[in-house]
Amino acid sequence: MVAIVDSGSTKSDWVILDDFKNVFLKTETIGFNPNFISKELIVPEIEKNKSLQSVKNSITKIFFYGSGCGVKKNCETIQEEVGKVFSNAEIIVKEDLYAAAYAAYKGKPTIVCILGTGSNSCYFDGENLKIKLPSLGYLMGDEGSGSAIGKQLVRRFFMQKLPQDLHLEFKEIYGLTIDEALKNMYHTTRPNAYLANFNKFVVERKDHPYFQDMVSEEMKNFFDYQVLPYEESQEAEINFIGSIAYYYENILRSAASELNLNVGHIVQKPIESLVNYHIKYIL
């Protein structure tokens, strides 16, 4: 059996293929971004999943694509910890941009972007992946992402920048105190996922003029920092992977249009396309 894993900062999608390349099972765990989760938590979190436990000895190869795995040390951490559960498996770890590129590839070169809890970009010609820009994480980067939008919302709430109607709704729903917010942002694991959770409030009110402007500003930041530096951006189609791109598709396309950029496909969850790519080109 072969496992294909697409792991973000919030959750991981797992697909297990049998020896005939048919889907045997699909399941989820939390996200395993080594920048935010303690390595000691990886094994217990996988072992919580009964479906994975039932096939762990039958899996001989794992393709793991993970947020935070653009650094060699983090790849080694994932290999080591995942290998403790799947002791019979060869484990191949690559950063999540590879998964996005494989899932978004439609037969012609494209700029591939991730807009989920975090954000990232690359250029993929069908064979080679070009990563021109570093991922700076939620503190210095991740423009346009769920964590960036959540951070803007929380910041504007506490600094009393939200319109009165949105301020009162946010206060009533979350009852958020500054002590609670600071604790979760600075003294717990996965603070980027914590901030991204507030995105639900914005999504449900995305037609509000204030949020239209706020999200549009974030999308333009994303294009400015993570797309326009690629010289191919003026000609190539720009494809997106991730829930943020999916939920804010209209705002995203409008921001791109203002910059004369061509947005192509937007895929909310790349796992199915990723599996198809492996079946066709890798396995």
Side-chain angles (χ1 to χ4, degrees), residues 135-247:
S135 176
L136 297 178
Y138 83 108
L139 285 176
M140 296 179 64
D142 281 350
E143 297 84 5
S145 68
S147 61
I149 293 171
K151 181 163 59 177
Q152 282 286 352
L153 174 61
V154 171
R155 177 172 177 262
R156 294 183 187 201
F157 169 72
F158 282 118
M159 302 309 291
Q160 299 186 29
K161 294 292 187 181
L162 294 178
Q164 186 72 359
D165 58 333
L166 295 177
H167 183 93
L168 292 175
E169 284 185 63
F170 185 89
K171 185 176 182 179
E172 181 180 352
I173 291 171
Y174 294 101
L176 188 64
T177 65
I178 188 64
D179 289 344
E180 179 187 353
L182 292 175
K183 177 184 176 182
N184 280 287
M185 286 188 289
Y186 293 104
H187 302 290
T188 60
T189 59
R190 304 167 71 224
N192 59 338
Y194 168 74
L195 287 168
N197 283 334
F198 290 106
N199 184 67
K200 181 176 183 289
F201 183 86
V202 182
V203 169
E204 292 173 348
R205 297 159 181 79
K206 64 182 178 181
D207 293 329
H208 193 292
Y210 185 84
F211 284 153
Q212 287 271 317
D213 290 340
M214 187 182 84
V215 175
S216 178
E217 180 182 321
E218 270 302 320
M219 296 307 169
K220 289 175 184 175
N221 283 340
F222 174 80
F223 285 121
D224 187 27
Y225 280 91
Q226 300 201 42
V227 174
L228 290 176
Y230 287 92
E231 55 270 20
E232 296 89 353
S233 64
Q234 298 303 318
E235 301 294 335
E237 188 173 80
I238 304 167
N239 293 335
F240 282 83
I241 298 293
S243 59
I244 295 301
Y246 177 81
Y247 290 133

Side-chain angles (χ1 to χ4, degrees), residues 23 38 53 65 69 95 102 113 121-122 157 183-184 220 226 240 265 268 276:
V23 175
S38 169
Q53 284 295 96
Y65 300 92
C69 292
E95 67 177 295
Y102 297 157
C113 303
S121 64
C122 68
F157 169 72
K183 177 184 176 182
N184 280 287
K220 289 175 184 175
Q226 300 201 42
F240 282 83
H265 305 284
Q268 181 181 9
N276 291 336

